[in-house]
Tab-separated table of all heavy atoms in Angstrom:
chain	number	residue	atom	x	y	z
A	29	ALA	N	-19.401	15.414	6.246
A	29	ALA	CA	-20.104	15.446	7.530
A	29	ALA	C	-19.660	14.306	8.427
A	29	ALA	O	-19.692	13.138	8.030
A	29	ALA	CB	-21.608	15.382	7.309
A	30	ASP	N	-19.177	14.659	9.604
A	30	ASP	CA	-18.771	13.651	10.599
A	30	ASP	C	-18.808	14.363	11.935
A	30	ASP	O	-18.410	15.518	12.046
A	30	ASP	CB	-17.367	13.140	10.291
A	30	ASP	CG	-17.024	11.906	11.107
A	30	ASP	OD1	-17.130	11.958	12.364
A	30	ASP	OD2	-16.616	10.899	10.507
A	31	ASP	N	-19.321	13.690	12.954
A	31	ASP	CA	-19.492	14.372	14.230
A	31	ASP	C	-18.183	14.539	15.001
A	31	ASP	O	-18.093	15.382	15.877
A	31	ASP	CB	-20.516	13.636	15.098
A	31	ASP	CG	-20.129	12.194	15.335
A	31	ASP	OD1	-19.573	11.585	14.420
A	31	ASP	OD2	-20.382	11.696	16.435
A	32	GLU	N	-17.182	13.740	14.661
A	32	GLU	CA	-15.914	13.887	15.380
A	32	GLU	C	-15.033	14.912	14.664
A	32	GLU	O	-14.567	14.697	13.548
A	32	GLU	CB	-15.202	12.549	15.501
A	32	GLU	CG	-15.835	11.705	16.593
A	32	GLU	CD	-15.573	10.228	16.434
A	32	GLU	OE1	-15.160	9.819	15.333
A	32	GLU	OE2	-15.783	9.489	17.407
A	33	HIS	N	-14.790	15.995	15.358
A	33	HIS	CA	-14.079	17.116	14.782
A	33	HIS	C	-12.738	16.698	14.169
A	33	HIS	O	-12.397	17.086	13.048
A	33	HIS	CB	-13.844	18.176	15.858
A	33	HIS	CG	-13.599	19.538	15.310
A	33	HIS	ND1	-14.056	20.693	15.887
A	33	HIS	CD2	-12.940	19.950	14.197
A	33	HIS	CE1	-13.693	21.729	15.165
A	33	HIS	NE2	-13.010	21.308	14.141
A	34	LEU	N	-12.027	15.892	14.911
A	34	LEU	CA	-10.695	15.464	14.469
A	34	LEU	C	-10.778	14.686	13.165
A	34	LEU	O	-10.020	14.923	12.213
A	34	LEU	CB	-10.056	14.620	15.565
A	34	LEU	CG	-8.593	14.240	15.389
A	34	LEU	CD1	-7.746	15.469	15.200
A	34	LEU	CD2	-8.123	13.458	16.596
A	35	ILE	N	-11.714	13.742	13.114
A	35	ILE	CA	-11.872	12.918	11.921
A	35	ILE	C	-12.315	13.772	10.747
A	35	ILE	O	-11.824	13.620	9.626
A	35	ILE	CB	-12.922	11.813	12.169
A	35	ILE	CG1	-12.594	11.034	13.444
A	35	ILE	CG2	-13.033	10.898	10.974
A	35	ILE	CD1	-11.216	10.459	13.463
A	36	ARG	N	-13.241	14.666	11.024
A	36	ARG	CA	-13.738	15.540	9.976
A	36	ARG	C	-12.587	16.343	9.364
A	36	ARG	O	-12.410	16.373	8.150
A	36	ARG	CB	-14.800	16.488	10.556
A	36	ARG	CG	-15.570	17.264	9.528
A	36	ARG	CD	-16.806	17.889	10.136
A	36	ARG	NE	-16.544	18.986	11.031
A	36	ARG	CZ	-16.785	18.975	12.335
A	36	ARG	NH1	-17.273	17.907	12.905
A	36	ARG	NH2	-16.524	20.038	13.071
A	37	GLY	N	-11.800	16.924	10.257
A	37	GLY	CA	-10.662	17.712	9.786
A	37	GLY	C	-9.669	16.881	9.005
A	37	GLY	O	-9.137	17.310	7.981
A	38	ALA	N	-9.443	15.660	9.482
A	38	ALA	CA	-8.477	14.778	8.828
A	38	ALA	C	-8.984	14.379	7.443
A	38	ALA	O	-8.226	14.332	6.479
A	38	ALA	CB	-8.221	13.562	9.685
A	39	LEU	N	-10.265	14.098	7.344
A	39	LEU	CA	-10.839	13.728	6.047
A	39	LEU	C	-10.739	14.897	5.069
A	39	LEU	O	-10.411	14.716	3.895
A	39	LEU	CB	-12.309	13.311	6.209
A	39	LEU	CG	-12.531	11.919	6.794
A	39	LEU	CD1	-14.022	11.680	7.036
A	39	LEU	CD2	-11.981	10.854	5.857
A	55	ALA	N	-19.873	19.574	8.145
A	55	ALA	CA	-20.978	19.584	9.104
A	55	ALA	C	-20.683	18.620	10.224
A	55	ALA	O	-20.043	17.587	9.990
A	55	ALA	CB	-22.279	19.196	8.410
A	56	GLU	N	-21.142	18.944	11.433
A	56	GLU	CA	-20.855	18.090	12.577
A	56	GLU	C	-22.061	17.267	13.002
A	56	GLU	O	-21.983	16.487	13.929
A	56	GLU	CB	-20.319	18.906	13.753
A	56	GLU	CG	-21.339	19.783	14.448
A	56	GLU	CD	-21.477	21.131	13.748
A	56	GLU	OE1	-21.017	21.235	12.590
A	56	GLU	OE2	-22.038	22.046	14.358
A	76	ASP	N	-21.120	10.615	7.372
A	76	ASP	CA	-20.895	9.557	8.360
A	76	ASP	C	-22.272	9.014	8.745
A	76	ASP	O	-23.243	9.755	8.802
A	76	ASP	CB	-20.181	10.129	9.591
A	76	ASP	CG	-19.765	9.036	10.558
A	76	ASP	OD1	-19.689	7.865	10.142
A	76	ASP	OD2	-19.522	9.346	11.739
A	78	GLU	N	-23.024	7.418	11.694
A	78	GLU	CA	-23.288	7.650	13.110
A	78	GLU	C	-23.107	9.130	13.450
A	78	GLU	O	-21.996	9.586	13.695
A	78	GLU	CB	-22.360	6.806	13.976
A	78	GLU	CG	-22.562	5.298	13.830
A	78	GLU	CD	-21.678	4.678	12.751
A	78	GLU	OE1	-20.858	5.400	12.139
A	78	GLU	OE2	-21.836	3.452	12.494
A	79	MET	N	-24.222	9.846	13.431
A	79	MET	CA	-24.168	11.274	13.778
A	79	MET	C	-25.355	11.602	14.666
A	79	MET	O	-26.407	10.979	14.560
A	79	MET	CB	-24.254	12.133	12.514
A	79	MET	CG	-22.950	12.233	11.765
A	79	MET	SD	-23.049	13.492	10.460
A	79	MET	CE	-24.268	12.794	9.365
A	80	PRO	N	-25.187	12.610	15.550
A	80	PRO	CA	-26.303	13.033	16.382
A	80	PRO	C	-27.321	13.854	15.569
A	80	PRO	O	-27.036	14.203	14.417
A	80	PRO	CB	-25.645	13.899	17.454
A	80	PRO	CG	-24.359	14.360	16.844
A	80	PRO	CD	-23.949	13.307	15.858
A	104	ARG	N	-18.688	3.037	10.448
A	104	ARG	CA	-17.756	2.230	11.227
A	104	ARG	C	-18.232	0.781	11.224
A	104	ARG	O	-17.501	-0.121	10.845
A	104	ARG	CB	-17.688	2.762	12.659
A	104	ARG	CG	-16.781	1.978	13.545
A	104	ARG	CD	-16.307	2.806	14.742
A	104	ARG	NE	-17.281	3.757	15.251
A	104	ARG	CZ	-17.178	5.082	15.126
A	104	ARG	NH1	-16.167	5.600	14.491
A	104	ARG	NH2	-18.089	5.866	15.631
A	125	LYS	N	-15.354	2.287	7.255
A	125	LYS	CA	-14.161	3.055	7.615
A	125	LYS	C	-12.895	2.208	7.537
A	125	LYS	O	-11.795	2.707	7.746
A	125	LYS	CB	-14.326	3.662	9.018
A	125	LYS	CG	-15.205	4.888	9.006
A	125	LYS	CD	-15.209	5.655	10.323
A	125	LYS	CE	-16.065	6.915	10.188
A	125	LYS	NZ	-16.320	7.596	11.478
B	32	GLU	N	-8.869	1.840	12.133
B	32	GLU	CA	-9.666	2.123	10.940
B	32	GLU	C	-8.794	2.718	9.845
B	32	GLU	O	-8.279	3.827	9.956
B	32	GLU	CB	-10.823	3.050	11.286
B	32	GLU	CG	-11.963	2.285	11.939
B	32	GLU	CD	-12.864	3.169	12.763
B	32	GLU	OE1	-12.464	4.316	13.044
B	32	GLU	OE2	-13.957	2.705	13.133
B	35	ILE	N	-9.429	6.325	8.684
B	35	ILE	CA	-9.052	7.336	9.667
B	35	ILE	C	-7.540	7.459	9.748
B	35	ILE	O	-6.990	8.546	9.807
B	35	ILE	CB	-9.611	6.959	11.065
B	35	ILE	CG1	-11.107	6.668	10.982
B	35	ILE	CG2	-9.312	8.059	12.052
B	35	ILE	CD1	-11.921	7.758	10.385
B	103	THR	N	-8.880	9.247	21.709
B	103	THR	CA	-9.998	8.360	21.980
B	103	THR	C	-11.330	8.977	21.594
B	103	THR	O	-11.498	10.185	21.607
B	103	THR	CB	-10.058	7.950	23.463
B	103	THR	OG1	-11.170	7.105	23.658
B	103	THR	CG2	-10.211	9.179	24.346
B	104	ARG	N	-12.253	8.078	21.260
B	104	ARG	CA	-13.598	8.511	20.895
B	104	ARG	C	-14.383	8.827	22.174
B	104	ARG	O	-14.886	9.914	22.329
B	104	ARG	CB	-14.290	7.388	20.115
B	104	ARG	CG	-15.693	7.692	19.699
B	104	ARG	CD	-16.127	6.845	18.494
B	104	ARG	NE	-15.632	5.484	18.502
B	104	ARG	CZ	-14.732	5.013	17.660
B	104	ARG	NH1	-14.192	5.801	16.744
B	104	ARG	NH2	-14.348	3.762	17.700
B	105	HIS	N	-14.486	7.867	23.067
B	105	HIS	CA	-15.197	8.057	24.320
B	105	HIS	C	-14.194	8.414	25.408
B	105	HIS	O	-13.515	7.533	25.917
B	105	HIS	CB	-15.956	6.798	24.724
B	105	HIS	CG	-16.834	6.283	23.645
B	105	HIS	ND1	-17.992	6.921	23.273
B	105	HIS	CD2	-16.732	5.207	22.843
B	105	HIS	CE1	-18.576	6.252	22.299
B	105	HIS	NE2	-17.830	5.195	22.015
B	124	PRO	N	-9.461	13.792	23.036
B	124	PRO	CA	-10.624	13.110	22.480
B	124	PRO	C	-10.725	13.409	20.984
B	124	PRO	O	-10.119	14.368	20.504
B	124	PRO	CB	-11.781	13.767	23.215
B	124	PRO	CG	-11.306	15.139	23.517
B	124	PRO	CD	-9.811	15.034	23.715
B	125	LYS	N	-11.511	12.585	20.285
B	125	LYS	CA	-11.629	12.802	18.842
B	125	LYS	C	-12.492	14.004	18.526
B	125	LYS	O	-12.653	14.359	17.360
B	125	LYS	CB	-12.189	11.526	18.177
B	125	LYS	CG	-11.130	10.441	18.024
B	125	LYS	CD	-11.573	9.276	17.165
B	125	LYS	CE	-10.409	8.291	17.001
B	125	LYS	NZ	-10.809	7.026	16.366
B	126	SER	N	-13.048	14.615	19.552
B	126	SER	CA	-13.830	15.833	19.311
B	126	SER	C	-12.923	17.061	19.264
B	126	SER	O	-13.390	18.176	19.056
B	126	SER	CB	-14.868	15.994	20.426
B	126	SER	OG	-14.220	16.035	21.671
B	127	THR	N	-11.626	16.852	19.458
B	127	THR	CA	-10.677	17.962	19.370
B	127	THR	C	-10.643	18.504	17.941
B	127	THR	O	-10.674	17.735	17.004
B	127	THR	CB	-9.265	17.453	19.728
B	127	THR	OG1	-9.294	16.835	21.001
B	127	THR	CG2	-8.262	18.586	19.729
B	128	PRO	N	-10.571	19.831	17.780
B	128	PRO	CA	-10.424	20.375	16.436
B	128	PRO	C	-9.139	19.851	15.798
B	128	PRO	O	-8.125	19.680	16.468
B	128	PRO	CB	-10.316	21.883	16.676
B	128	PRO	CG	-10.975	22.125	17.991
B	128	PRO	CD	-10.737	20.877	18.793
B	129	ALA	N	-9.207	19.617	14.502
B	129	ALA	CA	-8.063	19.033	13.809
B	129	ALA	C	-6.815	19.904	13.920
B	129	ALA	O	-5.713	19.377	14.047
B	129	ALA	CB	-8.426	18.813	12.334
Side-chain angles (χ1 to χ4, degrees):
Chain A
D30 192 306
D31 58 323
E32 282 158 344
H33 201 143
L34 189 55
I35 308 305
R36 190 166 72 246
L39 283 174
E56 71 275 16
D76 188 19
E78 296 91 3
M79 281 190 295
R104 179 157 34 251
K125 282 189 177 170
Chain B
E32 281 158 346
I35 308 305
T103 179
R104 179 157 37 249
H105 307 289
K125 283 189 176 171
S126 58
T127 305

